Tab-separated table of all heavy atoms in Angstrom:
chain	number	residue	atom	x	y	z
A	1	GLY	N	0.737	-1.139	0.003
A	1	GLY	CA	0.049	-0.057	0.033
A	1	GLY	C	0.830	1.207	0.036
A	1	GLY	O	1.934	1.236	0.610
A	2	ILE	N	0.388	2.276	-0.748
A	2	ILE	CA	1.211	3.514	-0.802
A	2	ILE	C	0.155	4.656	-0.581
A	2	ILE	O	-0.836	4.665	-1.256
A	2	ILE	CB	2.023	3.612	-2.059
A	2	ILE	CG1	2.969	4.877	-1.857
A	2	ILE	CG2	1.223	3.737	-3.280
A	2	ILE	CD1	4.163	4.792	-2.835
A	3	HIS	N	0.558	5.608	0.282
A	3	HIS	CA	-0.313	6.775	0.524
A	3	HIS	C	0.305	7.953	0.120
A	3	HIS	O	1.379	8.403	0.502
A	3	HIS	CB	-0.612	6.873	2.121
A	3	HIS	CG	-1.427	7.999	2.433
A	3	HIS	ND1	-1.403	8.631	3.667
A	3	HIS	CD2	-2.376	8.665	1.756
A	3	HIS	CE1	-2.281	9.678	3.723
A	3	HIS	NE2	-2.789	9.716	2.575
A	4	LEU	N	-0.287	8.623	-0.955
A	4	LEU	CA	0.187	9.976	-1.412
A	4	LEU	C	-0.569	10.999	-0.675
A	4	LEU	O	-1.755	11.175	-0.704
A	4	LEU	CB	-0.205	10.025	-2.855
A	4	LEU	CG	0.055	11.453	-3.581
A	4	LEU	CD1	1.559	11.810	-3.473
A	4	LEU	CD2	-0.416	11.424	-4.899
A	5	ASP	N	0.195	11.722	0.213
A	5	ASP	CA	-0.265	12.840	1.014
A	5	ASP	C	0.465	14.034	0.638
A	5	ASP	O	1.675	13.968	0.192
A	5	ASP	CB	-0.072	12.489	2.531
A	5	ASP	CG	-0.554	13.572	3.432
A	5	ASP	OD1	-1.774	13.666	3.740
A	5	ASP	OD2	0.287	14.450	3.832
A	6	PRO	N	-0.171	15.321	0.655
A	6	PRO	CA	0.657	16.480	0.367
A	6	PRO	C	1.919	16.661	1.147
A	6	PRO	O	2.872	17.356	0.771
A	6	PRO	CB	-0.392	17.565	0.679
A	6	PRO	CG	-1.677	17.022	0.539
A	6	PRO	CD	-1.664	15.581	0.932
A	7	ALA	N	1.922	16.126	2.359
A	7	ALA	CA	3.179	16.230	3.324
A	7	ALA	C	4.155	15.108	3.225
A	7	ALA	O	5.302	15.269	3.241
A	7	ALA	CB	2.735	16.452	4.651
A	8	VAL	N	3.693	13.900	3.040
A	8	VAL	CA	4.498	12.677	3.128
A	8	VAL	C	3.926	11.591	2.313
A	8	VAL	O	2.759	11.361	2.187
A	8	VAL	CB	4.742	12.281	4.609
A	8	VAL	CG1	3.347	11.754	5.129
A	8	VAL	CG2	5.755	11.152	4.753
A	9	ILE	N	4.926	10.789	1.713
A	9	ILE	CA	4.470	9.620	0.958
A	9	ILE	C	4.978	8.378	1.652
A	9	ILE	O	6.127	8.207	2.055
A	9	ILE	CB	5.195	9.598	-0.557
A	9	ILE	CG1	4.686	10.799	-1.264
A	9	ILE	CG2	4.808	8.201	-1.207
A	9	ILE	CD1	5.348	10.871	-2.541
A	10	THR	N	3.981	7.479	2.067
A	10	THR	CA	4.301	6.309	2.945
A	10	THR	C	3.991	5.042	2.245
A	10	THR	O	2.897	4.951	1.566
A	10	THR	CB	3.447	6.436	4.229
A	10	THR	OG1	3.703	7.727	4.815
A	10	THR	CG2	3.789	5.337	5.114
A	11	CYS	N	4.820	4.206	2.302
A	11	CYS	CA	4.665	2.866	1.599
A	11	CYS	C	4.808	1.650	2.543
A	11	CYS	O	5.705	1.719	3.425
A	11	CYS	CB	5.766	2.722	0.521
A	11	CYS	SG	5.624	1.245	-0.506
A	12	VAL	N	3.884	0.718	2.597
A	12	VAL	CA	3.901	-0.327	3.552
A	12	VAL	C	3.704	-1.659	2.853
A	12	VAL	O	3.053	-1.753	1.796
A	12	VAL	CB	2.915	-0.198	4.592
A	12	VAL	CG1	2.938	1.059	5.587
A	12	VAL	CG2	1.478	-0.289	4.090
A	13	LEU	N	4.232	-2.727	3.409
A	13	LEU	CA	4.053	-4.083	2.946
A	13	LEU	C	3.339	-4.792	4.107
A	13	LEU	O	3.769	-4.786	5.201
A	13	LEU	CB	5.398	-4.763	2.639
A	13	LEU	CG	5.334	-6.187	2.052
A	13	LEU	CD1	4.700	-6.317	0.681
A	13	LEU	CD2	6.638	-6.855	2.174
A	14	VAL	N	2.254	-5.442	3.810
A	14	VAL	CA	1.452	-6.171	4.890
A	14	VAL	C	1.156	-7.601	4.372
A	14	VAL	O	1.287	-7.981	3.224
A	14	VAL	CB	0.051	-5.506	5.047
A	14	VAL	CG1	0.237	-4.017	5.373
A	14	VAL	CG2	-0.829	-5.738	3.956
A	15	ASP	N	0.976	-8.428	5.531
A	15	ASP	CA	0.688	-9.839	5.207
A	15	ASP	C	-0.844	-9.975	5.087
A	15	ASP	O	-1.615	-9.036	5.189
A	15	ASP	CB	1.208	-10.819	6.310
A	15	ASP	CG	0.628	-10.475	7.662
A	15	ASP	OD1	-0.448	-9.866	7.799
A	15	ASP	OD2	1.288	-11.007	8.685
A	16	LEU	N	-1.300	-11.280	5.007
A	16	LEU	CA	-2.726	-11.471	4.780
A	16	LEU	C	-3.646	-11.111	5.853
A	16	LEU	O	-4.787	-10.892	5.701
A	16	LEU	CB	-2.899	-13.004	4.450
A	16	LEU	CG	-2.639	-13.449	3.065
A	16	LEU	CD1	-3.018	-14.877	2.842
A	16	LEU	CD2	-3.309	-12.644	1.946
A	17	LEU	N	-3.121	-10.887	7.060
A	17	LEU	CA	-3.872	-10.396	8.225
A	17	LEU	C	-3.796	-8.875	8.375
A	17	LEU	O	-4.317	-8.303	9.317
A	17	LEU	CB	-3.445	-11.029	9.429
A	17	LEU	CG	-3.691	-12.548	9.463
A	17	LEU	CD1	-3.262	-13.164	10.914
A	17	LEU	CD2	-5.163	-12.910	9.263
A	18	GLY	N	-3.147	-8.229	7.381
A	18	GLY	CA	-3.058	-6.719	7.511
A	18	GLY	C	-1.945	-6.237	8.287
A	18	GLY	O	-1.872	-5.108	8.731
A	19	ARG	N	-1.067	-7.058	8.756
A	19	ARG	CA	0.050	-6.721	9.586
A	19	ARG	C	1.163	-6.185	8.923
A	19	ARG	O	1.676	-6.854	7.906
A	19	ARG	CB	0.511	-7.937	10.576
A	19	ARG	CG	-0.656	-8.434	11.379
A	19	ARG	CD	-0.179	-9.644	12.296
A	19	ARG	NE	0.398	-10.756	11.499
A	19	ARG	CZ	0.494	-11.969	11.975
A	19	ARG	NH1	0.022	-12.233	13.167
A	19	ARG	NH2	0.962	-12.968	11.120
A	20	VAL	N	1.777	-5.076	9.344
A	20	VAL	CA	2.837	-4.457	8.543
A	20	VAL	C	4.185	-5.160	8.811
A	20	VAL	O	4.588	-5.447	9.972
A	20	VAL	CB	3.129	-2.882	9.056
A	20	VAL	CG1	4.228	-2.318	8.317
A	20	VAL	CG2	1.799	-2.170	8.794
A	21	VAL	N	4.764	-5.485	7.720
A	21	VAL	CA	6.045	-6.165	7.765
A	21	VAL	C	7.213	-5.453	7.269
A	21	VAL	O	8.341	-5.812	7.289
A	21	VAL	CB	6.097	-7.618	7.055
A	21	VAL	CG1	4.943	-8.508	7.735
A	21	VAL	CG2	5.681	-7.495	5.561
A	22	GLY	N	6.974	-4.167	6.594
A	22	GLY	CA	7.954	-3.388	6.087
A	22	GLY	C	7.282	-2.060	5.765
A	22	GLY	O	6.129	-1.939	5.422
A	23	GLU	N	8.083	-0.968	5.880
A	23	GLU	CA	7.509	0.367	5.628
A	23	GLU	C	8.626	1.395	5.217
A	23	GLU	O	9.778	1.154	5.618
A	23	GLU	CB	6.722	1.067	6.708
A	23	GLU	CG	7.512	1.235	8.003
A	23	GLU	CD	6.606	1.705	9.088
A	23	GLU	OE1	5.991	0.855	9.824
A	23	GLU	OE2	6.445	2.938	9.387
A	24	ARG	N	8.259	2.335	4.326
A	24	ARG	CA	9.214	3.367	3.948
A	24	ARG	C	8.443	4.689	3.875
A	24	ARG	O	7.254	4.590	3.526
A	24	ARG	CB	9.852	3.067	2.563
A	24	ARG	CG	10.642	1.865	2.422
A	24	ARG	CD	10.965	1.585	0.979
A	24	ARG	NE	11.799	2.560	0.375
A	24	ARG	CZ	13.111	2.447	0.284
A	24	ARG	NH1	13.763	1.468	0.673
A	24	ARG	NH2	13.757	3.422	-0.401
A	25	SER	N	8.990	5.730	4.213
A	25	SER	CA	8.334	7.108	3.915
A	25	SER	C	9.318	8.194	3.703
A	25	SER	O	10.599	8.076	3.946
A	25	SER	CB	7.611	7.468	5.282
A	25	SER	OG	8.419	7.664	6.383
A	26	ARG	N	8.839	9.238	2.971
A	26	ARG	CA	9.642	10.367	2.655
A	26	ARG	C	8.772	11.565	2.423
A	26	ARG	O	7.605	11.509	2.165
A	26	ARG	CB	10.484	10.116	1.396
A	26	ARG	CG	9.623	9.810	0.099
A	26	ARG	CD	10.435	10.105	-1.120
A	26	ARG	NE	10.734	11.475	-1.282
A	26	ARG	CZ	11.498	12.042	-2.304
A	26	ARG	NH1	11.913	11.199	-3.256
A	26	ARG	NH2	11.677	13.277	-2.403
A	27	ARG	N	9.324	12.736	2.509
A	27	ARG	CA	8.630	14.027	2.418
A	27	ARG	C	8.139	14.114	0.922
A	27	ARG	O	8.944	13.713	-0.022
A	27	ARG	CB	9.407	15.171	2.669
A	27	ARG	CG	8.847	16.532	2.561
A	27	ARG	CD	9.739	17.553	3.120
A	27	ARG	NE	9.251	19.015	2.792
A	27	ARG	CZ	9.338	20.027	3.661
A	27	ARG	NH1	9.910	19.775	4.849
A	27	ARG	NH2	8.889	21.109	3.352
A	28	THR	N	6.878	14.504	0.804
A	28	THR	CA	6.416	14.663	-0.599
A	28	THR	C	7.080	15.870	-1.229
A	28	THR	O	7.129	16.998	-0.748
A	28	THR	CB	4.896	14.901	-0.563
A	28	THR	OG1	4.232	13.864	0.052
A	28	THR	CG2	4.354	15.047	-1.988
A	29	PRO	N	7.658	15.588	-2.385
A	29	PRO	CA	8.354	16.799	-3.152
A	29	PRO	C	7.347	17.861	-3.528
A	29	PRO	O	6.237	17.571	-3.894
A	29	PRO	CB	8.958	16.176	-4.363
A	29	PRO	CG	9.045	14.679	-4.089
A	29	PRO	CD	7.873	14.424	-3.093
A	30	SER	N	7.647	19.116	-3.316
A	30	SER	CA	6.782	20.158	-3.600
A	30	SER	C	7.187	20.762	-4.920
A	30	SER	O	8.348	21.054	-5.197
A	30	SER	CB	6.818	21.251	-2.611
A	30	SER	OG	8.198	21.785	-2.419
A	31	GLY	N	6.147	21.073	-5.830
A	31	GLY	CA	6.408	21.656	-7.075
A	31	GLY	C	7.143	20.882	-8.051
A	31	GLY	O	7.740	21.393	-9.064
A	32	GLY	N	7.321	19.590	-7.800
A	32	GLY	CA	8.060	18.596	-8.606
A	32	GLY	C	7.287	18.199	-9.805
A	32	GLY	O	6.068	18.407	-9.933
A	33	ASP	N	7.982	17.549	-10.745
A	33	ASP	CA	7.374	17.004	-11.875
A	33	ASP	C	6.555	15.727	-11.412
A	33	ASP	O	7.089	14.937	-10.792
A	33	ASP	CB	8.309	16.569	-12.909
A	33	ASP	CG	7.799	15.971	-14.155
A	33	ASP	OD1	7.704	14.638	-14.193
A	33	ASP	OD2	7.500	16.730	-15.079
A	34	THR	N	5.281	15.706	-11.838
A	34	THR	CA	4.398	14.519	-11.359
A	34	THR	C	4.890	13.195	-11.772
A	34	THR	O	4.830	12.146	-11.053
A	34	THR	CB	2.939	14.719	-11.789
A	34	THR	OG1	2.955	15.033	-13.226
A	34	THR	CG2	2.349	15.990	-11.078
A	35	ASP	N	5.386	13.084	-13.064
A	35	ASP	CA	6.001	11.917	-13.560
A	35	ASP	C	7.150	11.404	-12.789
A	35	ASP	O	7.355	10.290	-12.434
A	35	ASP	CB	6.438	11.948	-15.045
A	35	ASP	CG	5.223	12.005	-15.936
A	35	ASP	OD1	4.173	11.319	-15.615
A	35	ASP	OD2	5.262	12.634	-17.069
A	36	GLU	N	8.090	12.435	-12.477
A	36	GLU	CA	9.157	12.064	-11.551
A	36	GLU	C	8.755	11.500	-10.127
A	36	GLU	O	9.352	10.579	-9.567
A	36	GLU	CB	10.141	13.285	-11.360
A	36	GLU	CG	10.817	13.736	-12.676
A	36	GLU	CD	11.745	14.845	-12.408
A	36	GLU	OE1	11.833	15.343	-11.308
A	36	GLU	OE2	12.291	15.312	-13.426
A	37	ILE	N	7.660	12.169	-9.588
A	37	ILE	CA	7.248	11.718	-8.298
A	37	ILE	C	6.696	10.423	-8.396
A	37	ILE	O	6.869	9.491	-7.562
A	37	ILE	CB	6.186	12.749	-7.743
A	37	ILE	CG1	6.854	14.113	-7.498
A	37	ILE	CG2	5.529	12.198	-6.423
A	37	ILE	CD1	5.846	15.169	-7.150
A	38	ALA	N	5.903	10.053	-9.488
A	38	ALA	CA	5.319	8.729	-9.675
A	38	ALA	C	6.385	7.725	-9.845
A	38	ALA	O	6.382	6.676	-9.216
A	38	ALA	CB	4.443	8.843	-10.857
A	39	VAL	N	7.437	8.042	-10.515
A	39	VAL	CA	8.629	7.100	-10.691
A	39	VAL	C	9.221	6.893	-9.328
A	39	VAL	O	9.520	5.726	-9.010
A	39	VAL	CB	9.625	7.777	-11.746
A	39	VAL	CG1	11.031	6.893	-11.515
A	39	VAL	CG2	9.181	7.672	-13.001
A	40	ASP	N	9.367	7.866	-8.487
A	40	ASP	CA	9.981	7.793	-7.237
A	40	ASP	C	9.053	6.814	-6.246
A	40	ASP	O	9.549	6.016	-5.594
A	40	ASP	CB	10.101	9.118	-6.420
A	40	ASP	CG	10.846	8.976	-5.287
A	40	ASP	OD1	12.045	8.792	-5.178
A	40	ASP	OD2	10.233	9.312	-4.167
A	41	MET	N	7.792	6.992	-6.372
A	41	MET	CA	6.850	6.140	-5.632
A	41	MET	C	7.007	4.637	-6.159
A	41	MET	O	6.991	3.801	-5.169
A	41	MET	CB	5.399	6.687	-5.878
A	41	MET	CG	5.089	8.024	-5.350
A	41	MET	SD	3.434	8.577	-5.750
A	41	MET	CE	2.269	7.568	-4.912
A	42	ALA	N	7.035	4.547	-7.284
A	42	ALA	CA	7.208	3.121	-7.875
A	42	ALA	C	8.511	2.490	-7.365
A	42	ALA	O	8.551	1.400	-7.036
A	42	ALA	CB	7.121	3.122	-9.369
A	43	ASP	N	9.651	3.357	-7.372
A	43	ASP	CA	10.939	2.804	-6.894
A	43	ASP	C	10.750	2.451	-5.407
A	43	ASP	O	11.399	1.405	-4.894
A	43	ASP	CB	11.995	3.905	-7.039
A	43	ASP	CG	12.373	4.165	-8.529
A	43	ASP	OD1	12.037	3.246	-9.376
A	43	ASP	OD2	12.932	5.101	-8.860
A	44	SER	N	10.037	3.272	-4.588
A	44	SER	CA	9.824	2.915	-3.201
A	44	SER	C	9.158	1.640	-3.104
A	44	SER	O	9.530	0.707	-2.124
A	44	SER	CB	8.998	3.978	-2.525
A	44	SER	OG	9.844	5.139	-2.428
A	45	VAL	N	8.151	1.380	-3.891
A	45	VAL	CA	7.344	0.071	-3.767
A	45	VAL	C	8.367	-1.138	-4.123
A	45	VAL	O	8.433	-2.135	-3.404
A	45	VAL	CB	6.189	0.122	-4.802
A	45	VAL	CG1	5.554	-1.286	-4.906
A	45	VAL	CG2	5.100	1.060	-4.286
A	46	SER	N	9.145	-0.912	-5.230
A	46	SER	CA	9.910	-2.078	-5.675
A	46	SER	C	11.047	-2.333	-4.623
A	46	SER	O	11.311	-3.450	-4.311
A	46	SER	CB	10.557	-1.697	-7.000
A	46	SER	OG	9.656	-1.612	-7.966
A	47	ALA	N	11.578	-1.192	-4.005
A	47	ALA	CA	12.607	-1.381	-3.043
A	47	ALA	C	12.061	-1.995	-1.776
A	47	ALA	O	12.816	-2.896	-1.094
A	47	ALA	CB	13.209	-0.035	-2.765
A	48	LEU	N	10.906	-1.689	-1.386
A	48	LEU	CA	10.338	-2.229	-0.235
A	48	LEU	C	10.108	-3.699	-0.295
A	48	LEU	O	10.462	-4.465	0.629
A	48	LEU	CB	8.927	-1.594	0.124
A	48	LEU	CG	8.295	-1.953	1.418
A	48	LEU	CD1	9.132	-1.662	2.687
A	48	LEU	CD2	6.966	-1.257	1.540
């Protein structure tokens, strides 16, 4: 799961019971290129 928030982007990995087994977060870039932000989000998912 990944949450796009104006302040922070949070990514979590959960098991079948919804328990978090891994997470990453970073400040949401301001005024950045949306495609670049989407690529960064995808990289966070793959890395997690």
Side-chain angles (χ1 to χ4, degrees):
I2 191 162
H3 179 206
L4 172 65
D5 179 84
V8 62
I9 296 172
T10 305
C11 184
V12 299
L13 179 70
V14 306
D15 64 20
L16 280 185
L17 295 181
R19 300 181 303 202
V20 176
V21 297
E23 61 184 88
R24 297 169 66 97
S25 65
R26 59 158 297 180
R27 179 173 173 144
T28 303
S30 60
D33 181 270
T34 49
D35 284 332
E36 290 182 3
I37 296 173
V39 168
D40 186 69
M41 292 171 69
D43 289 344
S44 291
V45 169
S46 299
L48 184 62

